[in-house]
Each structure stands twice: as structure tokens, then as C-alpha cells.
Amino acid sequence: MHKLISELTRLYLFDEQQHYLEADGGAQPLTPAVLARHLSGEQTVAVPLVSDASHGGLTRALVLEFGGKGGGEAHWNALCKIANAVQHELDLPAPAVSISGTAFQLWLSLATPVPVAQARQFVQLLRSTFLPASTDILAAAPPADVAQVALPPCLQPSGKWAAFIHPSMGAAFVDEPGLDMPPPPAAQLGFLESLRSINPAQFTQALAKLQGHAGLADAVPVAAPLPAVKPVTQPGLLLQDATLEDIVRWLHARNIEPTFRHRLP
């Protein structure tokens, strides 16, 4: 559990992050023991992803949620479009993917915190650039996604478990994006330990590309508009139609023994 907490901290939390929020909004100390109870399902806590919110705030975790209206397959396809664009059109590191119990989530990690206003603009431009208005089905627009979140894996009030998943597994959860049983910590660690954070130069360049595509006046000039998102076939990226054998092969290559605990009806 210690290694999983370390990876979550490396990717999404502030070094000085010392509190979590209770249901009534009160702040309590965020200790390794609290995080361990959270990850084991004993106590689910909401962790703020914004520091110094009274002065505008900074964040280093961008969480996009896909769910709410429409079908699960449409939500998953929209996540794939954004995730593939992040990697292939914006040249950013691969994001993490999770199921929250009610929706799909895409997690982008920033090596250096940025102002919340800038983070919101980045997410909004991702939506407008790569999801046509007729298919934009993000369940909640920032700032709700940016402000606080229950870090996966965790037990949700619905009784379902939120968990990080390999991107090729998303199609298996289009009807119910949650687990009936807690995911193995070793598998959760395996999904996170190879991820890299977006460095400041990468973020600045990607934001400039998005601003240029949107025609914003303060955008840094870019060579050409972003092309349409291309299908992805490279191994290790989002595979919308991966088979069970593909998933097991990917896990075994990383010395992770698969445990499938999604209860079939």
C-alpha cells in the first residue's frame, strides 16, 4: 500500500498537501494512515486538488469525467478521442484512466502546478477542439473536476469500487463503470508506475496549440491547425476493441497477475 500511496502522491498531490475534506466541508489531516484506510475501503475521503484556493489556487491534476447522459459506449468513445488527442496531437504523456463507480475518468498529471484558471482553460479547449458540440458528453465541466476528488481505488457510496484500469479494458465497463470487489493493489500500482507527468514546457506548448486552434488572440503562433484525431493501433495506448487475451497479455508483460472481479449478471 505504501508504494501505491507514493505513486498517487508523485502524480497528483502536492508535497505540502496535509488535509482532506469531510462531508460537512471540514478539513482534517491527510496522513499516510488516512490514505491507507481510504484505499482499502475503510474510509472514503475527498482530497482537494487545488492549493491556496482563496487566492485563485494552483493544481497539478486535471481530471475529466465522462458520464451522466447518453450511453456508456458513447462516454467511453469520447474519452478515447480526448486521450488519443492528448498523446498524438499534443505530444503529451499518456494519461491514466479510471472508473468512478458511475463514470469514466481521465487523469492528467502536471509536474509543476499551474493556476486553476489556466487548467480550466486547457480542459475546456480540449473539449471544444476534439469533441464536436453534438457529441460533447463530459458529465461535469471544470471546476468541479479540478477542485476535489476521491482518489482511486476507493469504495463509493453506491457500493461500487472506483479503480484505475488499463485503457484497453474500458469497453468492458460501458454498462457499469465500477467494480463489485476491491481491485488488487499490485495491479493498481502497475497502471500508475510507468506514467509520466507533463512538464512545464510540454504544457505550455500544448496550451498554445489549443489556443491557436481556437483562434484566441493571446495564443502563441503554431504552424498549422490540429488535424483530426487518428485511430490508434500502437500497443500500450487506448484500444477500444481489445480482447480479453490482449488485456491478459499486457498484464503478464508487466508481471501483474490479472484478477477479474467484475460480477457478471
Side-chain angles (χ1 to χ4, degrees):
M1 194 68 73
H2 174 72
K3 289 184 178 180
L4 181 55
I5 291 173
S6 296
E7 285 302 302
L8 289 169
T9 301
R10 176 181 70 86
L11 291 168
Y12 307 118
L13 302 181
F14 294 96
D15 291 338
E16 68 276 12
Q17 197 149 10
Q18 298 294 327
H19 71 280
Y20 68 92
L21 300 179
E22 292 188 314
D24 60 3
Q28 295 294 332
L30 182 66
T31 64
V34 169
L35 279 173
R37 290 197 297 272
H38 169 83
L39 299 176
S40 64
E42 298 176 38
Q43 173 190 11
T44 302
V45 300
V47 178
L49 299 180
V50 176
S51 70
D52 198 17
S54 61
H55 293 84
L58 299 172
T59 187
R60 62 177 302 248
L62 310 182
V63 183
L64 289 72
E65 187 169 275
F66 300 79
K69 61 180 180 179
E73 184 175 357
H75 301 318
W76 175 245
N77 289 339
L79 181 147
C80 288
K81 289 180 181 179
I82 294 289
N84 291 335
V86 163
Q87 296 169 82
H88 292 279
E89 312 303 339
L90 300 180
D91 298 319
L92 298 177
V97 178
S98 72
I99 47 177
S100 71
T102 58
F104 295 104
Q105 292 177 329
L106 194 68
W107 296 69
L108 282 71
S109 168
L110 303 178
T112 301
V114 301
V116 170
Q118 194 175 49
R120 291 175 186 168
Q121 183 190 46
F122 184 89
V123 171
Q124 289 162 355
L125 288 174
L126 273 178
R127 294 173 63 176
S128 61
T129 301
F130 299 111
L131 287 182
S134 61
T135 59
D136 184 351
I137 56 171
L138 287 184
D145 292 323
V146 172
Q148 65 185 58
V149 71
L151 292 170
C154 65
L155 182 62
Q156 298 286 20
S158 64
K160 297 292 182 180
W161 276 82
F164 288 104
I165 62 172
H166 182 257
S168 66
M169 298 168 63
F173 296 100
V174 295
D175 293 326
E176 190 174 34
L179 297 175
D180 293 311
M181 302 290 288
Q188 295 293 283
L189 178 63
F191 295 142
L192 298 178
E193 59 187 359
S194 63
L195 298 179
R196 295 181 292 115
S197 296
I198 300 168
N199 66 44
Q202 290 174 318
F203 181 79
T204 299
Q205 182 180 33
L207 181 59
K209 285 183 179 180
L210 292 170
Q211 290 172 334
H213 187 274
L216 299 183
D218 58 348
V220 176
V222 293
L226 296 177
V229 180
K230 301 180 290 293
V232 175
T233 57
Q234 291 92 328
L237 299 180
L238 290 171
L239 303 175
Q240 292 173 251
D241 301 312
T243 66
L244 180 61
E245 289 75 14
D246 293 331
I247 297 170
V248 172
R249 190 182 307 112
W250 186 91
L251 293 171
H252 281 166
R254 287 154 179 79
N255 296 317
I256 301 172
E257 185 60 32
T259 302
F260 297 96
R261 297 183 176 181
H262 188 62
R263 188 174 300 157
L264 296 176

